[in-house]
Amino acid sequence: MKRFSKGVAIALIIFGVLAPFIPLLIWSVARRWYFPAILPTEWSLRGWSYAFSNASRLPQALRQSFAVSTTASLLAILIGMPAGRVLGLYKFRGKTLVEFLILAPTIVPAFAVVMGIHVLFIRYGLADTLSGVIIVHLIPTLPYVTLVLAGVFANYNVDYESQARSLGANTWQVIRYVMLPAIYPGVIVAGMFAFIISWSQYLLTLMIGGGRVLTLPLLLFSFASSGDNNVTAALSIIFILPAIALLVITSRYLTGRNASLGATRGN
Amino acid sequence: MKKKIFTLLFVGLMTIFMTACAGAIAPPAPDGAEDTHAEDSDSHDDTEMAEDDAHGDDEDHGDEDMADADMMGPAGYESWDAVLAEAEGQTVNWFMWGGADNINAWVNGPVAETLLADYGVTLNMVPINDTAEAVNKVLAEKEAGQDDNGSVDMVWINGANFLTMRQGDLLFGGWSEGLPNYAFVDASDPSVQNDFGTPVDGYESPYGKAQFVMIYDSADVETPPATIPELVEWIKANPGKFTYPAAPDFTGNAFVRHICYEATGGYEQFLGEFDQALFDEKFGACWDLLNEIEPFLWREGEYPESDARIKDLLANGEVHFDMDYNPGSAGNLIEDGVYPDTVRTFVFETGTIANTHFVGIPYNSPNKAGAMVLANVLLSPEAQLQKADPAVWGDLPVLDPALMSEADAAAFDALPRHPATLSTAELSANRLPELQADWTTAIEQGWIENVLEN
């Protein structure tokens, strides 16, 4: 019974997330859909047939989007975890300033800094490369990863680590068998944040990727501003599917339960 | 001990952020509008210097004088065959506005196929939202000292972006008039010699032509207004059923220029260099007229941020007029189902503004030969004919029928035309020129200050 009501709750959450996309779904197959008609008066698969034609270059964009976002979120977790641990566990002088600086990339609009970043990346030979795009995606993703993990570490009891050490565990064993199992759900959530933020980067990818790295937002945004609702809707659906899939997969970690459960289900 | 390790890692992380931020603050963002005024008086010198650069780069061909170089091949190449030989195997990164599926499909389809099959050149089309993005990219590369291995090989460009690139010495020059297919272009046509009043001087190759048309839904408006005063009358008699996009929208700016041509007593007085005193004296009348109609516009004077929004409004019957800088776009939009079948276009008896759009090659492109081959393919009668077909794109050709073979010229004549598209004769009988980019920038700023913020 409890299991059932939980299922209903999850279904409702998923519906709440999906409902706004119903018009999108209809638009992707609508040819004519004018006010005040509730449903389109004519239908067409033009949007989808363009999306899957050679002209749209969808396969390349999907491949590179996945490569960039997956690598960028893994790196963000790797870099963000130590920072999150320090911020969550310790008090030190200037902590507020550090937190502010970490948040800075989320406050400063990308457009204001992208020119400078670009010049820097050209000097370091990172412009127009896949690795350059992955590194530049760390800028918007790291603040979220760090702050989510800081929150996770704030509820983490370091005494377990001391306990493990007193039983003879070395540093690696402490991380592997004590820390990671305890924070694992938080890491998943942080990774999801990072993936979705990286997944939707437009300007940074365009400037640093130089057109040699073609991601989905690059395809999508040039249509979104042109008023072509069919193609935009079809591309949007392809664009949001991975985000929804991620939400479904990670939804069980968003329930607030933690630590022990994550530990037994294992890595 | 462990605390130290974490602190160290943390410091490393901070360094990444600081570096990113510090780099970001240093260079100012480019702004075409500002440069326009500052460098206006030097523009002639710039031209000469940049031409020298273009030839200086080409060490193999030494000190040949310009006329010879142009006769032999473009941009100092020995011959067109030398260009073809160098181009083979190159990949051309073409940065172009990617918001129309039909244009993207044509470029990635027939154009890319011809380029690869006939010349061994690979086309990588990079769809962008706004040409300024590509211009900024080249500018950033120049600031970073990336002078010979840039990422942009070709841009689809005109107007203010061309001026910005010329003033920043960002374009490769001396090549476009040497393309073999330039023979089909009427070189004396002022709209090919000038791009929004800026001399082209071989820095970009013509690609297509556009002319502003007004769009209306014949289900709601029986007879469209023939002149701008009649349009003003109509707007006042039908409150809420007309609007135009706010600057910096390209289409909205063009509409404002039409009103200003009318209200100030004609464009002829503004041809040539920008004149602030004349601008201040004459354009008050234009702002007055635009402010006069403002309360009668959609939502009592709200300006949509883009023309795409107005297309939606027209399709849904919220407004009865739209406008577009491509005379064939209304027909395409009807075919795509965006517009109802009853939509038609018209031009004012006093004419509408026309311009030419071009392709340019950034100075630091490593694939200039490949880009020139692409520009030449785009200029070919075959490509221009395909592009002019409403089923493909419906863009106006840049070639002169008198210079083509009779068969080619006949093929252009035989092109089908959507009922919503005006004939070339109707369009060309009512053409007005664009003013120099300094003027158009001033008009855009003037509209923001005197109409939007009023």
Side-chain angles (χ1 to χ4, degrees):
Chain A
M1 188 57 205
K2 198 179 167 198
R3 209 184 168 83
F4 175 74
S5 62
K6 188 183 154 197
V8 170
I10 289 177
L12 276 177
I13 290 172
I14 293 172
F15 178 77
V17 173
L18 288 183
F21 299 110
I22 292 172
L24 208 58
L25 208 63
I26 301 177
W27 254 125
S28 75
V29 290
R31 185 169 124 84
R32 283 161 196 252
W33 192 10
Y34 310 132
F35 179 83
I38 290 174
L39 284 176
T41 46
E42 280 176 54
W43 306 81
S44 130
L45 288 174
R46 186 179 66 89
W48 289 104
S49 68
Y50 175 78
F52 290 109
S53 71
N54 287 336
S56 76
R57 305 173 64 194
L58 189 64
Q60 184 196 353
L62 271 174
R63 210 168 47 237
Q64 293 193 316
S65 269
F66 268 110
V68 167
S69 298
T70 312
T71 324
S73 21
L74 287 178
L75 276 177
I77 287 173
L78 223 65
I79 301 171
M81 198 185 288
R85 183 181 163 106
V86 173
L87 286 176
L89 286 180
Y90 308 109
K91 282 202 171 76
F92 51 91
R93 202 180 305 174
K95 186 174 169 183
T96 324
L97 179 71
V98 168
E99 279 174 337
F100 173 76
L101 285 174
I102 284 185
L103 266 176
T106 65
I107 302 166
V108 182
F111 201 80
V113 294
V114 72
M115 290 289 286
I117 295 173
H118 186 210
V119 170
L120 213 65
F121 271 53
I122 293 170
R123 289 201 188 125
Y124 294 150
L126 286 166
D128 308 328
T129 63
L130 201 64
S131 43
V133 173
I134 290 168
I135 292 172
V136 83
H137 278 199
L138 290 177
I139 295 171
T141 50
L142 267 176
Y144 291 94
V145 169
T146 310
L147 291 175
V148 167
L149 288 175
V152 171
F153 274 107
N155 296 321
Y156 172 65
N157 190 346
V158 206
D159 293 341
Y160 286 118
E161 291 186 5
S162 315
Q163 210 168 7
R165 274 182 200 285
S166 74
L167 294 169
N170 62 28
T171 305
W172 167 243
Q173 285 169 322
V174 168
I175 293 176
R176 169 74 181 77
Y177 294 105
V178 180
M179 188 184 90
L180 282 182
I183 62 162
Y184 160 58
V187 172
I188 300 277
V189 172
M192 184 190 79
F193 263 117
F195 186 89
I196 290 173
I197 291 160
S198 158
W199 188 254
S200 53
Q201 289 302 314
Y202 170 72
L203 199 64
L204 289 175
T205 314
L206 178 77
M207 291 304 274
I208 305 303
R212 310 215 176 148
V213 181
L214 183 79
T215 59
L216 270 180
L218 259 59
L219 286 189
L220 179 61
F221 282 29
S222 49
F223 277 102
S225 58
S226 76
D228 188 331
N229 291 335
N230 299 53
V231 178
T232 308
L235 289 175
S236 298
I237 290 168
I238 297 168
F239 177 73
I240 58 172
L241 277 181
I244 291 174
L246 264 183
L247 185 76
V248 171
I249 295 167
T250 55
S251 58
R252 60 191 179 119
Y253 301 104
L254 293 167
T255 56
R257 284 201 269 164
N258 57 15
S260 57
L261 188 70
T264 48
R265 286 204 190 155
N267 231 70
Chain B
M1 176 60 202
K2 197 152 133 214
K3 199 169 166 182
K4 258 187 192 164
I5 294 171
F6 281 128
T7 316
L8 261 172
L9 275 167
F10 183 73
V11 168
L13 163 71
M14 287 311 301
T15 318
I16 292 178
F17 280 129
M18 305 287 266
T19 326
C21 290
I25 295 161
D31 189 304
E34 305 251 340
D35 294 348
T36 303
H37 297 290
E39 295 182 18
D40 187 44
S41 54
D42 309 326
S43 66
H44 188 63
D45 298 340
D46 282 356
T47 312
E48 285 174 357
M49 274 174 55
E51 264 166 20
D52 288 347
D53 285 351
H55 287 269
D57 281 348
D58 208 21
E59 285 161 20
D60 293 353
H61 307 294
D63 299 316
E64 288 169 307
D65 80 51
M66 247 197 77
D68 273 357
D70 281 349
M71 297 254 300
M72 311 290 276
Y77 281 82
E78 257 173 26
S79 65
W80 181 244
D81 285 336
V83 177
L84 291 179
E86 190 181 314
E88 198 169 347
Q90 289 187 338
T91 296
V92 177
N93 296 291
W94 184 9
F95 282 59
M96 56 173 269
W97 177 76
D101 60 339
N102 54 340
I103 303 175
N104 296 354
W106 179 66
V107 167
N108 283 316
V111 173
E113 283 155 21
T114 306
L115 205 58
L116 188 62
D118 295 355
Y119 304 100
V121 176
T122 309
L123 174 60
N124 176 34
M125 183 268 226
V126 182
I128 50 176
N129 221 346
D130 182 343
T131 306
E133 289 163 4
V135 176
N136 286 346
K137 192 156 170 43
V138 179
L139 193 70
E141 286 172 356
K142 181 163 185 159
E143 275 174 27
Q146 179 65 274
D147 287 333
D148 43 33
N149 198 21
S151 58
V152 184
D153 297 317
M154 181 168 267
V155 275
W156 181 11
I157 196 174
N158 73 358
N161 286 315
F162 175 63
L163 187 68
T164 306
M165 289 194 88
R166 284 290 289 114
Q167 287 175 334
D169 270 336
L170 301 176
L171 280 177
F172 178 58
W175 60 277
S176 66
E177 286 161 18
L179 298 178
N181 286 333
Y182 195 77
F184 302 119
V185 177
D186 175 6
S188 65
D189 178 354
S191 76
V192 171
Q193 289 175 332
N194 299 289
D195 180 348
F196 280 67
T198 305
V200 168
D201 288 339
Y203 281 85
E204 53 180 5
S205 169
Y207 177 28
K209 280 189 184 180
Q211 183 168 359
F212 195 86
V213 291
M214 295 296 295
I215 299 171
Y216 70 107
D217 190 339
S218 63
D220 298 310
V221 182
E222 251 175 58
T223 324
T227 61
I228 287 173
E230 279 182 37
L231 176 67
V232 171
E233 289 295 302
W234 190 95
I235 293 169
K236 287 182 183 166
N238 300 275
K241 292 299 181 187
F242 185 92
T243 192
Y244 58 94
D249 183 86
F250 181 75
T251 314
N253 282 336
F255 177 77
V256 168
R257 291 198 287 278
H258 284 90
I259 301 288
C260 289
Y261 282 13
E262 175 78 22
T264 55
Y267 66 87
E268 293 86 352
Q269 48 191 330
F270 311 123
L271 293 175
E273 302 271 301
F274 180 69
D275 179 344
Q276 186 70 47
L278 185 65
F279 179 81
D280 292 341
E281 182 197 331
K282 295 285 184 178
F283 277 75
C286 181
W287 315 138
D288 288 346
L289 181 58
L290 288 165
N291 283 321
E292 194 184 314
I293 60 170
E294 192 176 73
F296 302 98
L297 298 181
W298 180 66
R299 292 194 181 161
E300 292 170 4
E302 203 177 297
Y303 298 99
E305 80 285 1
S306 75
D307 182 49
R309 289 272 293 124
I310 301 186
K311 301 216 173 315
D312 251 351
L313 293 176
L314 178 75
N316 292 297
E318 283 262 301
V319 299
H320 294 334
F321 285 90
D322 185 15
M323 53 206 74
D324 205 295
Y325 217 133
N326 173 357
S329 112
N332 287 338
L333 290 169
I334 292 172
E335 288 305 305
D336 286 352
V338 176
Y339 279 158
D341 283 326
T342 46
V343 163
R344 291 292 177 268
T345 60
F346 69 99
V347 290
F348 298 119
E349 276 170 11
T350 40
T352 56
I353 298 176
N355 77 46
T356 306
H357 48 98
F358 297 82
V359 288
I361 303 177
Y363 81 106
N364 61 356
S365 154
N367 302 302
K368 293 190 180 80
M372 281 189 263
V373 172
L374 171 58
N376 193 51
V377 165
L378 294 175
L379 258 187
S380 66
E382 297 77 29
Q384 291 281 321
L385 182 67
Q386 285 174 356
K387 185 165 72 75
D389 185 343
V392 175
W393 174 359
D395 192 40
L396 296 177
V398 287
L399 305 185
D400 184 350
L403 299 172
M404 285 187 273
S405 71
E406 272 180 34
D408 282 338
F412 276 98
D413 274 345
L415 278 175
R417 185 160 55 84
H418 192 279
T421 308
L422 300 175
S423 71
T424 314
E426 279 170 285
L427 289 170
S428 57
N430 300 288
R431 249 175 215 169
L432 301 174
E434 281 287 7
L435 300 178
Q436 285 199 9
D438 299 6
W439 284 101
T440 59
T441 313
I443 295 172
E444 177 177 342
Q445 278 306 315
W447 181 84
I448 292 172
E449 282 161 26
N450 298 296
V451 181
L452 185 67
E453 290 170 359
N454 190 342

